[in-house]
């Protein structure tokens, strides 16, 4: 089930590659990407009975389409897990970009994010039992794309999501272009979320560093 979205994204990329027109690398906001994600947390998390870890792994998927002028619609999803514990983030937003010279652009994006945490409690007596938490929030992001070298595009961004306790994200995505359409992604991001308070007192700020390695396919729908 967890592989459905990445396989669908790759299928879209392969299908589109047969009909896509010329590519503009500098300010291209139509693409799909998918890859592996490794997340390192600032706290040890209970992943199973008598087990706790500060790392999880999984996958990410991302798609964006630029149907008209400088507007684009983007969706993102990432899912990491360890033993019985899993986290996923999903986001959809509408953005607007502005070219800055021939080799760069800046953008702003507004949308909604959903955060879900789930703990599998199944055992031989009770199957399909889980404890889950989810929340949704408004999110806003500003970022840029810079073609630093012929085969390297850097994409820095900063984002905030207004959960009950705000989430902040700093991200640096990197594309290593293999062809006009295909590139390798090597991305790093820092997230921080204040967990607030509980009956036991103040909870720590949960920080996450995630590292992503994947592939991106860019296309032109005009």
């Amino acid at each position: 089930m967890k592989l459905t979205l990445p396989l669908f994204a790759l299928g879209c990329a392969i299908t589109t590659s047969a009909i896509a027109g010329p590519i503009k690398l500098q300010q291209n906001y139509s693409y799909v990407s998918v890859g592996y994600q490794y997340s390192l947390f600032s706290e040890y998390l209970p992943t199973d009975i008598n087990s706790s870890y500060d790392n999880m792994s999984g996958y990410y998927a991302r798609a964006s389409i630029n149907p008209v002028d400088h507007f684009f619609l983007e969706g993102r999803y990432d899912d990491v897990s360890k033993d019985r514990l899993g986290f996923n983030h999903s986001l959809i937003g509408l953005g607007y970009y502005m070219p800055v010279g021939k080799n760069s652009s800046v953008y702003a994006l507004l949308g909604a994010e959903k955060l879900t945490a789930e703990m599998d409690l199944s055992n031989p007596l009770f199957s399909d039992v889980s404890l889950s938490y989810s929340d949704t929030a408004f999110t806003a992001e500003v970022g840029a794309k810079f073609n630093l070298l012929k085969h390297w595009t850097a994409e820095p961004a900063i984002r905030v999501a207004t959960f009950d306790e705000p989430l902040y994200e700093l991200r640096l995505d990197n594309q290593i272009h293999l062809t006009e359409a295909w590139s390798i992604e090597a991305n790093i991001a820092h997230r921080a979320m204040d967990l607030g308070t509980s009956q036991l007192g103040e909870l720590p700020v949960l920080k996450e560093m995630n590292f992503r390695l994947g592939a991106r396919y860019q296309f032109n729908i005009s």
Side-chain angles (χ1 to χ4, degrees):
M1 186 66 178
K2 290 186 176 182
L3 292 176
T4 302
L5 187 55
L7 290 175
F8 175 75
L10 281 178
C12 289
I14 293 170
T15 302
T16 310
S17 66
I19 59 174
I23 306 299
K24 293 182 180 179
L25 292 178
Q26 287 83 357
Q27 287 91 41
N28 192 289
Y29 284 79
S30 293
Y31 60 85
V32 292
S33 66
V34 64
Y36 170 79
Q37 177 171 319
Y38 176 82
S39 292
L40 184 63
F41 296 91
S42 59
E43 305 289 333
Y44 278 79
L45 303 172
T47 60
D48 205 341
I49 300 174
N50 300 322
S51 295
S52 61
Y53 289 90
D54 64 349
N55 62 88
M56 296 184 184
S57 61
Y59 71 90
Y60 74 94
R62 187 173 173 181
S64 176
I65 189 167
N66 172 210
V68 60
D69 296 329
H70 293 166
F71 289 95
F72 64 95
L73 181 65
E74 181 167 338
R76 305 173 193 168
Y77 184 83
D78 64 80
D79 188 302
V80 294
S81 61
K82 186 81 171 185
D83 298 330
R84 294 172 176 263
L85 181 64
F87 291 110
N88 66 68
H89 293 256
S90 56
L91 180 152
I92 186 167
L94 177 66
Y96 181 85
Y97 76 91
M98 181 182 301
V100 181
K102 292 180 62 178
N103 296 309
S104 61
S105 63
V106 294
Y107 72 87
L109 179 142
L110 299 176
E113 179 183 7
K114 182 177 181 180
L115 167 64
T116 302
E118 185 170 6
M119 184 74 172
D120 183 5
L121 302 178
S122 299
N123 59 54
L125 295 178
F126 301 98
S127 61
D128 299 325
V129 178
S130 64
L131 180 65
S132 64
Y133 165 84
S134 65
D135 196 6
T136 57
F138 170 80
T139 189
E141 176 175 298
V142 291
K145 293 175 184 276
F146 300 101
N147 274 40
L148 300 178
L149 297 171
K150 182 179 179 181
H151 297 288
W152 175 25
T153 299
E155 301 180 6
I158 181 171
R159 184 174 67 85
V160 62
T162 59
F163 293 103
D164 289 339
E165 303 297 336
L167 178 146
Y168 301 94
E169 180 181 76
L170 294 173
R171 196 174 67 252
L172 177 61
D173 296 346
N174 295 279
Q175 293 182 67
I176 308 301
H177 301 286
L178 304 177
T179 68
E180 286 189 334
W182 290 95
S183 58
I184 293 175
E185 290 188 333
N187 308 330
I188 182 171
H190 171 78
R191 290 174 178 156
M193 186 172 185
D194 190 338
L195 299 179
T197 59
S198 71
Q199 294 179 345
L200 301 178
E202 191 76 18
L203 295 172
V205 175
L206 183 62
K207 299 177 181 178
E208 174 193 353
M209 289 292 295
N210 64 60
F211 307 88
R212 296 173 173 177
L213 183 63
R216 178 183 294 197
Y217 176 75
Q218 299 185 134
F219 55 94
N220 189 345
I221 64 171
S222 61

